[in-house]
Amino acid sequence: MIYYLDQLSALCRQYPVQPKVVFVPSAQVGYHLTTALAASGQAWANLHLTSPADWVRQRVAPRLQAEGWTPLLPNYPLFFMGPLIEDALAQARYFSNTATRDELTRTFLSTFVELRLAGVRPEDLAAESEDKLREIAAGYRAYIDALHAQRYYDEALLFQRALEEMDRAPGQAGSVYALFDETPLGALATQYISALAGDALVRIGASGYSRPAPAQSAAVRFAQRSLPETNATANIGSGGHLLAGRGDDRDRVRVRTVQVLGAEEEVRFVFRDILAQERPLDEVEIAYTTDAPYLALLHGLSERFDVPLSFASGLPPERTRPGQALLGFVRWIASGFDAAELAGLCRARLIHFSRSEGDEEDRVPWAFEVAALLDRGRVQRGRRDYADGLKRLRYELAQQIRENEGQGRDTGRLQAQMDLLDATRQILDALFNLLPSGAQVALDQLTGACKLFLEQYAPIESGYDGDAAVSLGVHLRTIGEQIRIEGTLPNLAATLLELLAEHRIEAASAGPGRAFAVPLERAGYTHRQHLYILGMDEGSFPGRGIEDPVLLDDERRQLDLGLPLHRTRPGERVWQAERALAMAPDTVTLTARRSSLESGSEFFPSAFFQQVEKAVLNGAEPDPPRPFLPQVPSESLDRSELMLASRTHAGYASAVEQAAPWLVAGRHAHRHRQAPAFSRFDGCLEQATPELNPGNGHILLSASRLEALVRCPYSYFLRYVLHVDVPDRREEDEAAAWLNPLDFGSLLHDLLCDFMQELTDGNELPAARHIPAMQARANEKIEAQKEKTPVTYEVAYRADVERLEQAVEIFLKVEERQQNTQPVGFEVSFGFGQTGALDSPEPVLVRLTEAVALKLRGRIDRVDRVEGGYAIWDYKSGSASGYGASDLSRAGSYLQWALYAYVLDEILGRKGLPDRVAQSGYFFTTAREYGKRVAPPLLARHALGDLLQPLFELVADGCFLHVQKKAKGDHCTYCEFKRLCASESVTPSKWKKIAESAAAQNPTDEAVSRWLDG
């Protein structure tokens, strides 16, 4: 029998009927010990196993609560620690750095808790001469005063009251007391147990240890107390004695040391070993040295492989969907309602909006649709910005609906978007209505809102999710009831987020039919036959002894107040590992990772692992690290592992094709993309599509649509043939400007056109004297734009206004220098039903060659009467890069300048006007280009037709290839589809290599060559 069960049995046999109180590290440990004791067949009447804190809580807490005191749960003081420390140390010298003081708030709290449990009073520190200790004493006194003022009782107060009651009424006579060596004891707990038990106290533990036991453990606090008399004496040692502690050689622990490639493989190895050895799950205990990464791996892989597993410490909220949803919701509040946080919740499906059973028109939006609308509305942060952003988006949709109605086009899709937008606004209003408003709010209002969020919005997809939601709801209610504090909503949410992240869900004891996962410090008490210890690499175990920055270990020693030391914690963890080994009834397996597959980092086994390995192998060479994949198919945990383990078997390829046909299809597509010949994986439809030919004279086109085809036929295919909608994404530099480039260009364009129309109507020419009037008009448009695009960042807003004012000034000064120019048309439209002097109500058919005719619709920004005819200008508010004369003449990226010239010629001819377009180009109005005009000689129609003919032939043949005239594939840089295909672009230099490697060119190849060489 294991030594601790042997000693407990001896205690029960020696005192069969007397009350027996045994102090253990935790109530869970006590449950496991009594279960193991019962399984061994030992009677244990009147045996009570409890932790010291639970013992005094049962006896003292009811009276404290009757007096109006409230329990202080862990980390609750974080809600008031910041201001408390700030006020207490207002005149500090040592802690004079305010920023550092904020960072140390949690550390101050941890230090104060240790001081309290050690029975240290503020005056014990204030008596010292050092500034640092006096300042710590001031903060400590303020902390205690705050607890008393708010009538919170902590563990220290429980022990103090229990000691006071012991002075008035000694402990129960005739009781027997014992305590486990590893039970942690502060000074107050030690005093209480000494007073309670007196001489009737024995230890449960080993007669000797190879290394010093933790100073705060019962093994040190009560080192002189005797052990129960048993037939065997346990000694827990290291090296050659590591396997000692058993009654005889037949019961010696069988220890294995295993090295694997990564942390995930440690968990996989454990599951494989359980399967291979056919071990019952309720005989398996899995200890881990660190929560990260093992807790997440154990949970994730147990779910994946359907291994029932209970967790002694529970799981953090982020391991459940309701927990992730709640943490995201509170993070959103703490961020000041950053739209990126809420959109992230929606895209991850962590927020659920109830769907109605009514018509599709009345449906509740999906979460991803809400995220898309937030992005389209350019919502940034703050409650008002949500309303402003959706208002802005609604205005844009209303404009599009009016425009479509004026053209007689169907508006059903736009109206559906409008309905979706209105429904989203109602959803966001309801979400905001959950939350309290005002400069100062009470914490219970916030926790109540979070609880409602859990009930109404958190996704519940399984029974486990439901249990998690209940656990989190109870935790929120407890926080709201026990902490009475007010503050700003973001500050309260930030602290609440910290408390929620530390909450644990579904903490459970070891039970039948389930393996049991436990932190190393609590391992070994279940008496399960097989113990696995994960994380024995040097990076995880024994860890580092990081000192308390508020009160260093040397300062603690000098004070001689019985405070715990932090530097010795790695040694204490090794002591706990030796204890767990000695308590194991049968097999123990230690695993250590040698690398991290995620980061590529290399690890080495810890010194403790190597020490155990040396003792186990007794001079033999250790095995090399186990491979990542199972060595034989029988060790496979799921179908994918089985397939990989069987990769050398006959028929493997056909099995993969049946099990994962998408992998075969993906490999097939990849090979075709790498081949020189174009295939359907490169945009070839493998059938003729003459109906899609833009040059057939039947497809209604805009200049921008044709330019999209010229830049990249494949992206044109995605947008205009397949009608693929790209998810709206928030730009990284969005906060750097008030208006995005499109909105800024539109505002400047409207301003120039409107003002020039007024001057023309008044028979005036633009001049520098008009700058004040034009800037006044600009201010009017800016104010109107603010209704559609609210100002989020004042600095960004001012920068855009300044850009606009500069553009106005530059425009008028450049225009003043124009000679023999008379503006005659602005926003000249064709194909939109307007009937102005130069307008065409119908689209204009422009025939370039016998084989190429374009049916065009659009608007010409400006038409001037110049010597020799007319000049066309398109306003541009960006850079002139890419608008070189050679690029324009080769139809490399831009066609509008030439197409609009042909269109206006057609309109002039229809109206019987003799003159034609003499010049067409782009007018750059911003400070960057300072009024630069780009207007190369106009191309003859047949010349442009000949340039476009090969491209139109490709489209008619069903070939939408990823070919670009740009030598460096610049179009991919800003293409919204670049994530799909940027790496597959074919530039002229790449095409030259492809063409040279081809045995013979087919008609498609010839058309590509003609297009790229044109």
Side-chain angles (χ1 to χ4, degrees), residues 533-609:
I533 303 180
L534 306 176
M536 296 304 293
D537 60 272
E538 63 178 2
S540 304
F541 182 83
R544 294 181 297 168
I546 301 176
E547 296 192 43
D548 175 12
V550 173
L551 204 54
L552 300 175
D553 280 5
D554 289 341
E555 295 167 334
R556 291 171 180 243
R557 286 195 182 96
Q558 293 174 8
L559 288 171
D560 194 24
L561 296 173
L563 291 169
L565 303 180
H566 291 204
R567 196 184 301 165
T568 60
R569 287 181 176 176
E572 295 172 1
R573 298 196 75 209
V574 174
W575 184 87
Q576 290 281 10
E578 290 185 348
R579 171 200 59 78
L581 284 177
M583 296 174 72
D586 197 348
T587 66
V588 178
T589 303
L590 285 73
T591 66
R593 56 176 167 167
R594 294 302 303 268
S595 64
S596 169
L597 300 181
E598 296 83 6
S599 65
S601 304
E602 187 175 2
F603 294 88
F604 296 94
S606 64
F608 179 78
F609 181 93

Side-chain angles (χ1 to χ4, degrees), residues 678-691:
F678 290 117
S679 68
R680 63 188 178 91
F681 302 103
D682 301 293
C684 288
L685 303 184
E686 299 180 350
Q687 66 179 44
T689 55
E691 71 279 4

